Amino acid sequence: MFGTFEFGLPEDSRRARRPGLRLWLLGVPTTLAWAVVGWSGALGLLDGFRSMSLNRVDAWGADAGPAVSLVLLFSISITVASSLGFAMLWGGGMSLRGMGVGFRASSLAASLGIALGSGAAIPSWTPPEAVGKRLPSEPWTDVDWVVYYEPYLVPAVAGVTALVMIMVLGRAFVTKAEADDRAQALAQTGRQVMGTVLGVEFTNVWVMGNPRFTVQVRFPADEGERTVVATMITPPLQAPARGSTVKVTYDPRDPDSVRIDPDPADRAAGGNLGAFLPPLF
């Protein structure tokens, strides 16, 4: 069976940096680019489809020069906006948690930009030739009424999505900041000792080519020997094995605050590669 692969680098929490400044710097142009996408898409694409749907006319006839130009602007702007959004994905840091924050931030920039751009386009939508009926006298269906209010629905839906993403992103920032504070405090005030691996279980998850393990580690503490179960991501040649040594950083005041790192000097590490390497065929 193949393992699960995750896209991202294992996070060194002692070097974790809050991504706020980078995400803000990338978020402003990304939001503006998505605003251009929302404005040009509303007037260059959706407006034409709306006119054809409500009036059953060819809105892209011989006189559709401005619409074609807006479609070209839409194509360029969505390319730029997508590229900036991809940059925001990495702006949160090259770790699974950081990339999660970057993804939420880029989603917020996209929804907020589309809401602003499509909202600015509301006065410029083409009014239907007759409200409530198609010419000459066919009445509108419920779907036609939804399409009629499309100039307001598009920014409204995007705006609600932006509000939801603001709440989700705010919670993610708070969670990440708290985790970074705990990791920084552990790195500064925690005690580092050598521990012995009592048990190893491969989680069948690979993070950028590095296996993730659940390990049971015994290490000396103030109150005597302690045994903890934690996860660790290591290069394959530093994979833990039963009996190998690892670096343990712990907080004597918080039994649950423990960090496990491989011991580069341990020759027993990496001695059981066959237990977790994915099959070749």
Side-chain angles (χ1 to χ4, degrees):
M1 296 294 293
F2 285 97
T4 300
F5 289 79
E6 294 185 5
F7 191 64
L9 297 179
E11 183 176 28
D12 185 353
S13 57
R14 291 171 298 183
R15 298 182 180 179
R17 298 168 60 184
R18 294 175 183 173
L21 180 59
R22 277 181 294 178
L23 291 180
W24 272 109
L25 293 176
L26 287 170
V28 173
T30 303
T31 302
L32 294 177
W34 279 112
V36 177
V37 171
W39 182 81
S40 59
L43 299 182
L45 293 175
L46 299 181
D47 185 40
F49 291 135
R50 175 173 175 265
S51 297
M52 287 187 287
S53 177
L54 297 180
N55 301 320
R56 297 293 176 89
V57 297
D58 186 2
W60 285 355
D63 59 344
V68 174
S69 299
L70 287 173
V71 172
L72 178 60
L73 177 61
F74 171 81
S75 302
I76 297 174
S77 59
I78 197 172
T79 302
V80 173
S82 299
S83 300
L84 290 172
F86 184 76
M88 289 188 69
L89 180 65
W90 294 95
M94 296 181 64
S95 66
L96 294 177
R97 192 197 322 159
M99 291 177 66
V101 173
F103 174 78
R104 295 178 179 90
S106 63
S107 300
L108 171 60
S111 55
L112 180 60
I114 291 176
L116 294 174
S118 58
I122 289 176
S124 302
W125 284 70
T126 303
E129 297 181 15
V131 177
K133 65 178 181 179
R134 294 193 185 94
L135 300 179
S137 60
E138 182 181 353
W140 280 358
T141 64
D142 293 338
V143 175
D144 293 326
W145 282 107
V146 173
V147 173
Y148 173 70
Y149 288 108
E150 189 176 10
Y152 305 96
L153 292 176
V154 172
V157 171
V160 171
T161 304
L163 290 177
V164 173
M165 293 308 304
I166 288 174
M167 293 186 290
V168 172
L169 183 61
R171 181 177 179 182
F173 266 117
V174 171
T175 301
K176 189 177 189 305
E178 292 176 347
D180 290 345
D181 290 340
R182 289 194 300 268
Q184 186 176 7
L186 182 63
Q188 293 178 350
T189 63
R191 298 183 183 178
Q192 188 174 91
V193 297
M194 303 304 297
T196 303
V197 177
L198 303 180
V200 181
E201 181 181 353
F202 177 46
T203 62
N204 208 36
V205 172
W206 292 74
V207 183
M208 283 295 285
N210 297 317
R212 176 188 290 170
F213 299 94
T214 299
V215 292
Q216 184 180 20
V217 179
R218 182 176 59 202
F219 62 93
D222 293 342
E223 67 277 10
E225 287 192 336
R226 285 183 53 194
T227 300
V228 298
V229 177
T231 60
M232 60 184 300
I233 301 172
T234 70
L237 294 180
Q238 292 183 339
R242 185 174 299 178
S244 64
T245 59
V246 291
K247 294 181 180 180
V248 180
T249 306
Y250 73 97
D251 185 353
R253 299 166 300 179
D254 184 4
D256 295 328
S257 182
V258 178
R259 177 184 173 89
I260 309 295
D261 293 299
D263 178 14
D266 182 26
R267 297 181 179 274
N272 191 24
L273 296 178
F276 62 86
L277 286 178
L280 297 178
F281 303 98

